Amino acid sequence: GKGHLSKAVAGDNDIEIGTSSEELEANQIMYEGNVYELNEDIISVLIMGIDTEAVNNVGGQSWTAEEGSYLNGGQADTLLLAIINPHDKVVSFLSINRNTIADVDVWDADGNYVGVFREQIALQHGYGEGEESCERQVKAVSRMLLDIPINAYAAISMDAVPVLTDAVGGVDVTVLDDIVYPEYSMDLHKGDEVHLDGRQAYWYVRL
């Protein structure tokens, strides 16, 4: 993963961050003159929120893919890396913006590999379907983070939102913006503190 880092200053010399210098071990990188070593005991899990139908207005879609197309994987609109330290018993989270520009492996609609392009990282999941899409998304995130190992992943579709919400008895939220759609029984206003059931929670995150 060292080759994916840009330049940094170490002393009086410009060097590639994490270049295969004789002074660095295979599990080390250099950043801004400091050497960092991979903690191999850390466990990381990539949590993906997948949307296969991106809506830009009620009843509309911002994109579609033809049936049978190789581009039906949907977009990873949520990317959350859980970092687990088993010794300290601490779990940290790294939220990755879906619009982060990163190296993405691209295929065409017929499944032919095209190459690596700089795209929004959320788009990586769209190339393929099922486990294939997930594994490619994991690879893209790992590569962006200097090839750190990602030990496992969990992919959750939008369809799971109402099921999971109802399973925990609903959720309490403070409304961040006005959401008024009578056809979906949504009449929420910024600053309201409300309890949402599964169906309401789905439309809350969707709209």
Side-chain angles (χ1 to χ4, degrees):
K2 299 171 182 175
H4 295 290
L5 293 167
S6 57
K7 284 189 176 181
V9 176
D12 297 327
N13 301 315
D14 287 342
I15 68 166
E16 293 292 326
I17 300 175
T19 48
S20 54
S21 165
E22 293 180 359
E23 298 178 0
L24 296 178
E25 302 294 335
N27 63 343
Q28 294 177 330
I29 61 170
M30 181 173 286
Y31 178 67
E32 295 185 346
N34 298 312
V35 175
Y36 297 90
E37 185 170 315
L38 175 67
N39 183 343
E40 297 181 354
D41 293 334
I42 292 292
I43 301 168
S44 60
V45 180
L46 182 63
I47 302 168
M48 298 172 273
I50 308 303
D51 191 1
T52 57
E53 180 180 319
V55 175
N56 59 1
N57 54 62
V58 176
Q61 296 181 2
S62 61
W63 56 269
T64 57
E66 296 181 4
E67 185 176 353
S69 168
Y70 197 71
L71 309 178
N72 276 319
Q75 299 184 12
D77 285 341
T78 298
L79 290 167
L80 191 65
L81 188 65
I83 304 161
I84 305 166
N85 187 323
H87 301 297
D88 297 341
K89 297 183 179 179
V90 171
V91 180
S92 305
F93 292 94
L94 174 64
S95 179
I96 301 168
N97 191 306
R98 68 172 312 284
N99 295 319
T100 302
I101 301 301
D103 289 343
V104 170
D105 290 303
V106 174
W107 283 258
D108 65 19
D110 296 320
N112 300 308
Y113 183 67
V114 179
V116 178
F117 292 81
R118 298 287 289 175
E119 294 187 348
Q120 295 169 317
I121 196 166
L123 300 180
Q124 180 67 84
H125 198 275
Y127 299 104
E129 288 186 293
E131 292 184 8
E132 186 176 58
S133 291
C134 292
E135 290 169 359
R136 288 171 179 169
Q137 187 69 66
V138 168
K139 177 183 175 183
V141 172
S142 173
R143 177 167 52 195
M144 184 185 71
L145 298 176
L146 317 181
D147 286 335
I148 65 167
I150 296 177
N151 307 101
Y153 66 82
I156 304 170
S157 70
M158 287 291 293
D159 293 338
V161 171
V163 177
L164 294 175
T165 302
D166 285 337
V168 297
V171 292
D172 296 320
V173 301
T174 300
V175 180
L176 300 178
D177 207 348
D178 292 345
I179 304 176
V180 181
Y181 290 100
E183 59 269 49
Y184 297 104
S185 302
M186 300 294 285
D187 186 14
L188 307 177
H189 300 273
K190 184 176 181 179
D192 288 350
E193 294 184 1
V194 297
H195 182 83
L196 304 179
D197 62 20
R199 182 176 181 276
Q200 293 170 320
Y202 173 86
W203 286 113
Y204 181 81
V205 298
R206 168 66 80 187
L207 299 173

PDB file of all heavy atoms in Angstrom, residues 45-50 78-80 134 138 150 152-157:
ATOM      1  N   VAL A  45     -13.781  -3.905  10.139  1.00  0.00           N
ATOM      2  CA  VAL A  45     -14.977  -4.396   9.454  1.00  0.00           C
ATOM      3  C   VAL A  45     -15.585  -3.234   8.674  1.00  0.00           C
ATOM      4  O   VAL A  45     -15.866  -2.176   9.243  1.00  0.00           O
ATOM      5  CB  VAL A  45     -16.015  -4.947  10.450  1.00  0.00           C
ATOM      6  CG1 VAL A  45     -17.253  -5.453   9.714  1.00  0.00           C
ATOM      7  CG2 VAL A  45     -15.403  -6.052  11.318  1.00  0.00           C
ATOM      8  N   LEU A  46     -15.788  -3.425   7.389  1.00  0.00           N
ATOM      9  CA  LEU A  46     -16.396  -2.385   6.562  1.00  0.00           C
ATOM     10  C   LEU A  46     -17.912  -2.589   6.523  1.00  0.00           C
ATOM     11  O   LEU A  46     -18.396  -3.633   6.103  1.00  0.00           O
ATOM     12  CB  LEU A  46     -15.834  -2.416   5.141  1.00  0.00           C
ATOM     13  CG  LEU A  46     -16.369  -1.327   4.204  1.00  0.00           C
ATOM     14  CD1 LEU A  46     -15.967   0.061   4.715  1.00  0.00           C
ATOM     15  CD2 LEU A  46     -15.875  -1.534   2.782  1.00  0.00           C
ATOM     16  N   ILE A  47     -18.639  -1.576   6.977  1.00  0.00           N
ATOM     17  CA  ILE A  47     -20.101  -1.615   6.968  1.00  0.00           C
ATOM     18  C   ILE A  47     -20.576  -0.754   5.805  1.00  0.00           C
ATOM     19  O   ILE A  47     -20.222   0.428   5.708  1.00  0.00           O
ATOM     20  CB  ILE A  47     -20.666  -1.088   8.298  1.00  0.00           C
ATOM     21  CG1 ILE A  47     -20.117  -1.920   9.457  1.00  0.00           C
ATOM     22  CG2 ILE A  47     -22.192  -1.112   8.288  1.00  0.00           C
ATOM     23  CD1 ILE A  47     -20.374  -1.315  10.816  1.00  0.00           C
ATOM     24  N   MET A  48     -21.368  -1.358   4.918  1.00  0.00           N
ATOM     25  CA  MET A  48     -21.815  -0.674   3.706  1.00  0.00           C
ATOM     26  C   MET A  48     -23.332  -0.554   3.696  1.00  0.00           C
ATOM     27  O   MET A  48     -24.038  -1.536   3.930  1.00  0.00           O
ATOM     28  CB  MET A  48     -21.363  -1.450   2.463  1.00  0.00           C
ATOM     29  CG  MET A  48     -19.869  -1.568   2.313  1.00  0.00           C
ATOM     30  SD  MET A  48     -19.396  -2.688   0.964  1.00  0.00           S
ATOM     31  CE  MET A  48     -19.402  -4.267   1.840  1.00  0.00           C
ATOM     32  N   GLY A  49     -23.807   0.642   3.436  1.00  0.00           N
ATOM     33  CA  GLY A  49     -25.236   0.854   3.225  1.00  0.00           C
ATOM     34  C   GLY A  49     -25.475   0.976   1.738  1.00  0.00           C
ATOM     35  O   GLY A  49     -25.026   1.936   1.099  1.00  0.00           O
ATOM     36  N   ILE A  50     -26.174  -0.012   1.153  1.00  0.00           N
ATOM     37  CA  ILE A  50     -26.295  -0.105  -0.297  1.00  0.00           C
ATOM     38  C   ILE A  50     -27.659   0.379  -0.768  1.00  0.00           C
ATOM     39  O   ILE A  50     -28.693  -0.006  -0.222  1.00  0.00           O
ATOM     40  CB  ILE A  50     -26.087  -1.560  -0.776  1.00  0.00           C
ATOM     41  CG1 ILE A  50     -24.768  -2.113  -0.211  1.00  0.00           C
ATOM     42  CG2 ILE A  50     -26.098  -1.624  -2.301  1.00  0.00           C
ATOM     43  CD1 ILE A  50     -23.545  -1.311  -0.550  1.00  0.00           C
ATOM     44  N   THR A  78     -23.381   4.600   2.148  1.00  0.00           N
ATOM     45  CA  THR A  78     -22.783   4.676   3.487  1.00  0.00           C
ATOM     46  C   THR A  78     -21.579   3.749   3.546  1.00  0.00           C
ATOM     47  O   THR A  78     -21.674   2.575   3.181  1.00  0.00           O
ATOM     48  CB  THR A  78     -23.795   4.268   4.572  1.00  0.00           C
ATOM     49  OG1 THR A  78     -24.894   5.176   4.561  1.00  0.00           O
ATOM     50  CG2 THR A  78     -23.148   4.283   5.953  1.00  0.00           C
ATOM     51  N   LEU A  79     -20.457   4.284   3.980  1.00  0.00           N
ATOM     52  CA  LEU A  79     -19.244   3.493   4.169  1.00  0.00           C
ATOM     53  C   LEU A  79     -18.692   3.816   5.553  1.00  0.00           C
ATOM     54  O   LEU A  79     -18.272   4.947   5.812  1.00  0.00           O
ATOM     55  CB  LEU A  79     -18.203   3.817   3.091  1.00  0.00           C
ATOM     56  CG  LEU A  79     -18.527   3.331   1.672  1.00  0.00           C
ATOM     57  CD1 LEU A  79     -17.602   3.982   0.657  1.00  0.00           C
ATOM     58  CD2 LEU A  79     -18.430   1.809   1.598  1.00  0.00           C
ATOM     59  N   LEU A  80     -18.714   2.825   6.411  1.00  0.00           N
ATOM     60  CA  LEU A  80     -18.287   3.014   7.799  1.00  0.00           C
ATOM     61  C   LEU A  80     -17.325   1.893   8.161  1.00  0.00           C
ATOM     62  O   LEU A  80     -17.692   0.713   8.100  1.00  0.00           O
ATOM     63  CB  LEU A  80     -19.507   2.988   8.717  1.00  0.00           C
ATOM     64  CG  LEU A  80     -19.314   3.432  10.169  1.00  0.00           C
ATOM     65  CD1 LEU A  80     -18.930   4.905  10.234  1.00  0.00           C
ATOM     66  CD2 LEU A  80     -20.602   3.196  10.953  1.00  0.00           C
ATOM     67  N   CYS A 134     -19.474  -6.409  -3.218  1.00  0.00           N
ATOM     68  CA  CYS A 134     -18.988  -6.112  -1.866  1.00  0.00           C
ATOM     69  C   CYS A 134     -17.478  -6.257  -1.776  1.00  0.00           C
ATOM     70  O   CYS A 134     -16.787  -5.410  -1.203  1.00  0.00           O
ATOM     71  CB  CYS A 134     -19.655  -7.039  -0.849  1.00  0.00           C
ATOM     72  SG  CYS A 134     -21.431  -6.749  -0.627  1.00  0.00           S
ATOM     73  N   VAL A 138     -14.726  -3.396  -0.835  1.00  0.00           N
ATOM     74  CA  VAL A 138     -13.732  -3.569   0.226  1.00  0.00           C
ATOM     75  C   VAL A 138     -12.332  -3.282  -0.320  1.00  0.00           C
ATOM     76  O   VAL A 138     -11.530  -2.579   0.311  1.00  0.00           O
ATOM     77  CB  VAL A 138     -13.804  -4.992   0.813  1.00  0.00           C
ATOM     78  CG1 VAL A 138     -12.588  -5.269   1.689  1.00  0.00           C
ATOM     79  CG2 VAL A 138     -15.083  -5.179   1.618  1.00  0.00           C
ATOM     80  N   ILE A 150      -8.712  -5.277   5.565  1.00  0.00           N
ATOM     81  CA  ILE A 150     -10.079  -5.213   6.067  1.00  0.00           C
ATOM     82  C   ILE A 150     -10.537  -6.657   6.242  1.00  0.00           C
ATOM     83  O   ILE A 150     -10.591  -7.426   5.280  1.00  0.00           O
ATOM     84  CB  ILE A 150     -10.994  -4.439   5.108  1.00  0.00           C
ATOM     85  CG1 ILE A 150     -10.527  -2.975   5.028  1.00  0.00           C
ATOM     86  CG2 ILE A 150     -12.445  -4.509   5.560  1.00  0.00           C
ATOM     87  CD1 ILE A 150     -11.316  -2.115   4.054  1.00  0.00           C
ATOM     88  N   ALA A 152     -13.414  -8.111   7.445  1.00  0.00           N
ATOM     89  CA  ALA A 152     -14.769  -8.588   7.182  1.00  0.00           C
ATOM     90  C   ALA A 152     -15.616  -7.414   6.691  1.00  0.00           C
ATOM     91  O   ALA A 152     -15.179  -6.258   6.749  1.00  0.00           O
ATOM     92  CB  ALA A 152     -15.392  -9.187   8.451  1.00  0.00           C
ATOM     93  N   TYR A 153     -16.798  -7.731   6.190  1.00  0.00           N
ATOM     94  CA  TYR A 153     -17.697  -6.662   5.756  1.00  0.00           C
ATOM     95  C   TYR A 153     -19.139  -7.057   6.021  1.00  0.00           C
ATOM     96  O   TYR A 153     -19.475  -8.233   6.189  1.00  0.00           O
ATOM     97  CB  TYR A 153     -17.502  -6.344   4.265  1.00  0.00           C
ATOM     98  CG  TYR A 153     -17.910  -7.459   3.323  1.00  0.00           C
ATOM     99  CD1 TYR A 153     -19.257  -7.643   2.960  1.00  0.00           C
ATOM    100  CD2 TYR A 153     -16.971  -8.320   2.772  1.00  0.00           C
ATOM    101  CE1 TYR A 153     -19.634  -8.658   2.091  1.00  0.00           C
ATOM    102  CE2 TYR A 153     -17.334  -9.335   1.905  1.00  0.00           C
ATOM    103  CZ  TYR A 153     -18.673  -9.496   1.561  1.00  0.00           C
ATOM    104  OH  TYR A 153     -19.042 -10.502   0.704  1.00  0.00           O
ATOM    105  N   ALA A 154     -19.991  -6.048   6.083  1.00  0.00           N
ATOM    106  CA  ALA A 154     -21.439  -6.257   6.196  1.00  0.00           C
ATOM    107  C   ALA A 154     -22.101  -5.273   5.252  1.00  0.00           C
ATOM    108  O   ALA A 154     -21.805  -4.076   5.288  1.00  0.00           O
ATOM    109  CB  ALA A 154     -21.916  -6.029   7.628  1.00  0.00           C
ATOM    110  N   ALA A 155     -22.972  -5.765   4.385  1.00  0.00           N
ATOM    111  CA  ALA A 155     -23.684  -4.924   3.434  1.00  0.00           C
ATOM    112  C   ALA A 155     -25.164  -4.933   3.785  1.00  0.00           C
ATOM    113  O   ALA A 155     -25.777  -5.998   3.913  1.00  0.00           O
ATOM    114  CB  ALA A 155     -23.466  -5.420   2.004  1.00  0.00           C
ATOM    115  N   ILE A 156     -25.725  -3.740   3.946  1.00  0.00           N
ATOM    116  CA  ILE A 156     -27.124  -3.605   4.345  1.00  0.00           C
ATOM    117  C   ILE A 156     -27.839  -2.770   3.298  1.00  0.00           C
ATOM    118  O   ILE A 156     -27.425  -1.649   2.988  1.00  0.00           O
ATOM    119  CB  ILE A 156     -27.233  -2.927   5.728  1.00  0.00           C
ATOM    120  CG1 ILE A 156     -26.423  -3.711   6.766  1.00  0.00           C
ATOM    121  CG2 ILE A 156     -28.686  -2.806   6.162  1.00  0.00           C
ATOM    122  CD1 ILE A 156     -26.269  -2.999   8.091  1.00  0.00           C
ATOM    123  N   SER A 157     -28.931  -3.302   2.747  1.00  0.00           N
ATOM    124  CA  SER A 157     -29.677  -2.574   1.723  1.00  0.00           C
ATOM    125  C   SER A 157     -30.716  -1.678   2.370  1.00  0.00           C
ATOM    126  O   SER A 157     -31.042  -1.807   3.557  1.00  0.00           O
ATOM    127  CB  SER A 157     -30.361  -3.553   0.763  1.00  0.00           C
ATOM    128  OG  SER A 157     -31.425  -4.216   1.435  1.00  0.00           O
TER     129      SER A 157
END
